[in-house]
Amino acid sequence: MASTSDPQNELRFDKELFRKELQRLVDDHSLDNLFDARVAHLLDESQGEGEADWRSMRAEYRLPTLKHAGVPGGSDEPAIYLCGNSLGPMTKRTELYVQQELDAWGQKAVLGHWDHPHGRPWTRCEERIGRIMSDMVGAKPSEVIVMSTLTANLHSMLATFYRPGKQLPQSGWSAQASPSVCANYKRRTKILYEAKAFPSDQYALASAVALAGEDPKAALVPLHAPSGSDTISTEDILRALEVHGDEVSMIMLGGLQYITGQLFDLPRITRRAHELGILAGFDLAHAFANVPLALHDWDVDFAVWCTYKYGSSGPGGIAGAFVHERWGDIGMRTHLDRPGAYEGAEGLLRPAGWWGHEKSTRFSMPNSFRSMKGAAGWQLSNPSALDAAALLGSLETLAQVVKGQDVGGVEWADKIESIEGTTAIGKGQIMPRLRPSKRKCGSSPPQTRANAARC
């Protein structure tokens, strides 16, 4: 079910409003000025009902010291770390889990794939992470997979969904897209994207278009901010969808623009794209673990993200991907061992690898591929257990804000997975607590957007 909420309105940061709210704290507590360190302490202590306990959460991380940060004459006091948009700090649980994996490797060697001293067998090391991650992006567990790296995952999605001249299975399309609109697939060669998208996305788009036999100069349509503005309005994006209409195969945007910090209105963009027979995919590198998302309810076709920024999985950590169940339920098969088969492959074609093969027969090493259901069917190779452990430690640290239930547990996952029809999945349990849309600061009156600066 598509949500009507506007993420831009919910999380837009109003600089002037925030300054006034901080000034109220200064006045209420007779502080010296806005830069008084006690302002930060008051913000930490202003935990609202159901929100994260910021002070105790900070203690879960190892932060660089002033000395290690290169501050002249710096002490062993923790530095103020404001670079989470590039690399998140390490959690103490991550340090523990990675050391446990090294110990398990030394103790068990190959047996650790099934017999793990800490109950995290390597053949299943991505499963708990995926369940927590699905909560953080507002999706069913089967729609999310932990694998590879962001750009590699983007290539897999583009190879699957950008296929000019080829018709994708009708059953995968959103109910908002009429069959007559989707049938006009032979003309759909263009991809709309941000003119200032992260370079790796632009390289991936250009190469994917060229590999599909199209000219990137003709097929890639950049969306520019209007003169005098740093941002692209939702109306401008919708207008571009209308203008290029039935020539567009997909729109591919960043969920949160990495230069300007603009949070795109993903539900409105997705909804209109589908009405025009256009697929909607997003790079959530700067949105994952930063803002609440509802990918399932918004009907997004696919999304990819890294986890080493706000997800604190470590340099170059393992990434994530989302494929809506509409597409994930279709599956793919190859028939190399069936000479009489009409075709050698069927279903929703995609890059395939042995870890995406159905789990029940994976280790019998069949010649033909039969994909797992859901996003797991896009896996290529087995994930690095060390990378998985690093990410698990971080996500479990964030998940502690949810009291009284294990959002990474099988029981909770089964409950979410069983939701059918138009019932909303929502934005999960973790992110709304980390990024509440309304909160109080200190003893001031109820606030509206101050949480947007609490990164």
Side-chain angles (χ1 to χ4, degrees):
M1 183 178 79
S3 171
T4 58
S5 63
D6 183 347
Q8 291 179 312
N9 286 336
E10 289 182 9
L11 290 174
R12 183 183 288 115
F13 176 58
D14 187 322
K15 182 178 179 180
E16 183 59 26
L17 176 60
F18 184 58
R19 190 197 66 78
K20 290 179 179 178
E21 292 175 342
L22 293 182
Q23 187 60 53
R24 277 201 295 268
L25 281 181
V26 171
D27 296 340
D28 290 350
H29 295 273
S30 301
L31 305 180
D32 294 335
N33 52 52
L34 291 176
F35 303 100
D36 192 313
R38 287 172 291 180
V39 173
H41 291 301
L42 286 169
L43 289 172
D44 281 345
E45 294 166 358
S46 62
Q47 178 188 4
E49 184 178 355
E51 295 180 17
D53 181 345
W54 303 106
R55 178 168 293 182
S56 63
M57 178 166 284
R58 182 180 291 113
E60 298 282 343
Y61 289 79
R62 278 191 57 182
L63 298 174
T65 64
L66 293 171
K67 179 171 64 179
H68 289 143
V71 177
S75 68
D76 289 327
E77 288 294 312
I80 297 175
Y81 192 75
L82 298 176
C83 299
N85 62 304
S86 181
L87 179 67
M90 182 177 69
T91 68
K92 295 175 181 178
R93 190 175 296 210
T94 286
E95 186 175 23
L96 171 65
Y97 284 2
V98 170
Q99 186 58 55
Q100 287 178 343
E101 292 305 328
L102 292 171
D103 292 342
W105 181 17
Q107 294 168 13
K108 292 289 186 177
V110 70
L111 298 178
H113 285 90
W114 299 275
D115 181 15
H116 193 282
H118 300 286
R120 300 192 297 267
W122 299 327
T123 55
R124 300 172 55 190
C125 66
E126 76 277 8
E127 293 179 3
R128 178 169 174 81
I129 306 170
R131 292 192 290 266
I132 299 175
M133 192 178 278
S134 66
D135 179 88
M136 295 175 69
V137 299
K140 291 186 175 183
S142 65
E143 295 176 313
V144 171
I145 191 61
V146 182
M147 65 178 187
S148 195
T149 57
L150 189 158
T151 303
N153 290 341
L154 178 56
H155 272 288
S156 288
M157 295 301 116
L158 292 173
T160 302
F161 293 106
Y162 180 71
R163 306 186 69 218
K166 303 288 185 180
Q167 188 170 20
L168 296 175
Q170 188 65 44
S171 60
W173 283 96
S174 165
Q176 297 161 344
S178 68
S180 60
V181 171
C182 298
N184 189 25
Y185 58 90
K186 292 185 178 180
R187 293 185 60 192
R188 296 186 180 275
T189 60
K190 294 183 177 180
I191 298 177
L192 267 61
Y193 74 104
E194 309 160 65
K196 293 188 177 181
F198 190 73
S200 194
D201 285 5
Q202 299 191 53
Y203 307 155
L205 289 170
S207 60
V209 168
L211 286 168
E214 300 294 330
D215 181 357
K217 285 187 176 181
L220 294 180
V221 181
L223 298 172
H224 293 274
S227 178
S229 175
D230 294 324
T231 60
I232 310 170
S233 71
T234 300
E235 287 66 30
D236 287 341
I237 296 172
L238 300 182
R239 191 176 302 112
L241 289 170
E242 296 277 357
V243 168
H244 295 280
D246 59 6
E247 295 181 325
V248 179
S249 171
M250 72 170 62
I251 182 168
M252 228 296 294
L253 301 175
L256 197 153
Q257 219 290 327
Y258 84 106
I259 297 175
T260 66
Q262 178 184 2
L263 179 63
F264 289 111
D265 191 343
L266 304 190
R268 281 187 66 195
I269 293 168
T270 300
R271 183 166 58 251
R272 187 57 185 143
H274 286 169
E275 290 170 352
L276 296 170
I278 298 169
L279 294 168
F282 302 102
D283 173 354
L284 304 177
H286 288 264
F288 173 72
N290 187 16
V291 296
L293 300 163
L295 299 184
H296 177 89
D297 293 350
W298 295 343
D299 228 11
V300 170
D301 292 295
F302 69 87
V304 293
W305 56 88
C306 58
T307 62
Y308 53 80
K309 301 180 188 299
Y310 303 99
S312 290
S313 64
I318 196 167
F322 164 89
V323 180
H324 199 283
E325 66 178 351
R326 292 180 283 101
W327 300 108
D329 286 350
I330 295 175
M332 171 187 164
R333 295 186 184 185
T334 62
H335 302 294
L336 300 184
D337 55 355
R338 290 174 56 192
Y342 181 71
E343 292 183 334
E346 63 179 346
L348 181 59
L349 307 184
R350 83 286 300 266
W354 81 305
W355 217 250
H357 182 85
E358 62 179 5
K359 190 170 292 188
S360 61
T361 60
R362 179 188 292 160
F363 283 93
S364 65
M365 309 298 179
N367 295 329
S368 294
F369 176 77
R370 182 170 181 171
S371 67
M372 295 177 68
K373 183 178 180 181
W378 272 263
Q379 293 176 102
L380 299 176
S381 300
N382 49 316
S384 161
L386 297 177
D387 284 344
L391 178 56
L392 178 62
S394 172
L395 298 192
E396 284 190 346
T397 298
L398 296 177
Q400 290 180 103
V401 300
V402 183
K403 308 298 183 183
Q405 63 189 33
D406 179 11
V407 295
V410 174
E411 183 178 351
W412 178 255
D414 288 345
K415 177 181 178 181
I416 302 301
E417 195 67 45
S418 66
I419 296 175
E420 296 180 352
T422 59
T423 302
I425 299 294
K427 297 179 180 178
Q429 302 296 309
I430 299 171
M431 290 310 302
R433 288 170 168 80
L434 294 176
R435 286 289 198 183
S437 59
K438 294 185 179 181
R439 69 181 316 279
K440 292 184 178 182
C441 286
S443 60
S444 299
Q447 309 302 305
T448 53
R449 313 294 180 206
N451 60 288
R454 301 179 58 85
C455 53

